[in-house]
Amino acid sequence: MTQFRSSRDDLAANGLVGYSADPMKNTAREKEWFDDDSFWRELYPFMFPEKRIADAQEQIAKALALTKPAGKSVLDLCCGPGRCSIALAKRGFSVTGVDKTKYLLDKARVQARAARVKIEWVQKDMRDFVRPNSFALVLNMFTSFGYFDDRREDMIVLENMFTSLQPGGACLIDVLGKERLAKILQPTSSSLLPDGAMVVERHEIFDDWTRVRNEWLVIRNGQVKSFKFHHTIYSGLELRDRMERAGFVDVTLHGNLDGDEYGPGAERLVAIGRKPKKRGPAIRRSGFVR
């Protein structure tokens, strides 16, 4: 256990403690579920159907209306096949798309060439990517937050986002909130893919309602492939608290990208925070992020 290697002196001074990764270095880690490229290959048609790709244009328009970035540089963190990155580039933004999975980045490059847009693609773990004071906007879309076995590492990601923002820049995180999940969770559900394959989803809440364990079964041509994964789930209060701990100010919560309130009818948990334009007085904090 080490202290956060803070590129922000105020966090170090405030005594916020947890795990840290050296910025922009490939930190040696044990393999985790998202390191399995076959997961993304097999489930790509399920996770990224054509409609979801097409919807990115409208979603980005709404995200920009909510965040009102002051500049044209954007970091799309966990960009996947680049649906949001491409939508941003079409609007004239200078985009850096970061993802750890080569298979998804290869898809993104093909689609960017087809769209005739230029995007910087970076294959990097979100715990390792940081580019200080470089972006007017950081986006993390489609429940790409909370993947790690040690959920204290989510704070590293938030730190990196904060550090990578220019002063006054905005960060938008879009996840399925715990409150929504409590209403809609079904132990088992199934869907058909365009090629006739079936995906059976199994879900289980564990670890005192802080995580969800998933098993997706892909049934194709009489054969079954099983993929198991888990991630941390956050309530609105929990996500806002962690963003504020990382240094974000004016954190607001919304129930969708239209900007509706995060209330009983919320479909998503959309959290927006900003990096202060000027450093304010330090607030004393200590202890572990649980």
Side-chain angles (χ1 to χ4, degrees):
M1 181 164 39
T2 60
Q3 286 192 334
F4 275 114
R5 294 185 43 155
S6 180
S7 45
R8 305 191 304 286
D9 294 338
D10 52 342
L11 277 182
N14 291 341
L16 187 61
V17 178
Y19 292 117
S20 180
D22 290 335
M24 293 305 292
K25 292 184 179 179
N26 289 317
T27 303
R29 300 184 179 96
E30 294 184 3
K31 288 192 68 173
E32 298 177 74
W33 65 264
F34 46 82
D35 292 314
D36 180 6
D37 274 10
S38 66
F39 172 89
W40 304 104
R41 285 196 302 270
E42 290 289 339
L43 291 164
Y44 184 88
F46 178 63
M47 299 179 70
F48 301 103
E50 290 184 7
K51 184 179 185 303
R52 182 163 287 156
I53 299 293
D55 285 347
Q57 297 291 336
E58 181 181 359
Q59 291 170 350
I60 285 302
K62 292 178 178 181
L64 293 172
L66 278 177
T67 56
K68 297 178 175 61
K72 301 295 285 186
S73 57
V74 182
L75 169 62
D76 184 8
L77 191 62
C78 297
C79 64
R83 62 190 194 101
C84 293
S85 294
I86 292 168
L88 286 161
K90 285 182 175 180
R91 290 175 171 268
F93 285 86
S94 174
V95 184
T96 298
V98 175
D99 204 282
K100 188 176 183 181
T101 305
K102 181 180 182 299
Y103 175 80
L104 295 179
L105 286 177
D106 287 345
K107 289 280 190 181
R109 290 186 178 96
V110 170
Q111 296 193 50
R113 283 195 294 269
R116 297 184 177 181
V117 292
K118 291 185 178 181
I119 296 169
E120 178 192 17
W121 303 112
V122 178
Q123 185 177 353
K124 185 70 66 173
D125 192 299
M126 66 195 302
R127 290 165 289 188
D128 299 330
F129 182 88
V130 60
R131 191 175 289 176
N133 303 313
S134 296
F135 303 101
L137 176 64
V138 173
L139 293 178
N140 182 251
M141 304 285 286
F142 190 37
T143 310
S144 299
F145 184 78
Y147 282 2
F148 309 119
D149 291 336
D150 184 345
R151 56 180 172 264
R152 286 176 291 186
E153 291 185 312
D154 290 347
M155 285 300 302
I156 293 174
V157 175
L158 290 173
E159 270 206 310
N160 289 347
M161 291 178 175
F162 184 96
T163 300
S164 295
L165 278 175
Q166 299 165 354
C171 170
L172 184 152
I173 300 174
D174 158 53
V175 296
L176 182 61
K178 186 182 293 186
E179 295 90 344
R180 174 67 174 171
L181 188 61
K183 292 176 63 176
I184 67 171
L185 183 71
Q186 297 180 7
T188 305
S189 62
S190 62
S191 304
L192 284 175
L193 299 182
D195 66 356
M198 176 179 287
V199 178
V200 178
E201 302 176 60
R202 295 174 177 172
H203 310 288
E204 178 188 11
I205 299 297
F206 71 110
D207 203 3
D208 297 327
W209 251 101
T210 62
R211 301 185 194 239
V212 58
R213 182 183 292 121
N214 309 282
E215 181 181 21
W216 288 0
L217 303 170
V218 180
I219 305 171
R220 179 181 285 113
N221 299 325
Q223 296 184 330
V224 180
K225 292 184 179 180
S226 172
F227 298 94
K228 296 180 179 180
F229 63 101
H230 60 271
H231 60 88
T232 300
I233 48 178
Y234 287 102
S235 69
L237 176 63
E238 290 165 341
L239 184 54
R240 179 166 57 193
D241 174 73
R242 281 153 180 77
M243 291 182 72
E244 290 175 345
R245 283 176 176 266
F248 290 99
V249 298
D250 301 328
V251 178
T252 58
L253 305 179
H254 306 276
N256 52 39
L257 288 172
D258 290 317
D260 293 338
E261 68 172 354
Y262 191 67
E267 301 169 354
R268 305 286 295 175
L269 169 54
V270 177
I272 299 172
R274 298 189 180 274
K275 185 173 183 176
K277 292 183 179 180
K278 295 182 180 180
R279 179 176 297 172
I283 300 174
R284 182 69 183 174
R285 295 190 187 98
S286 62
F288 295 102
V289 179
R290 297 290 183 186

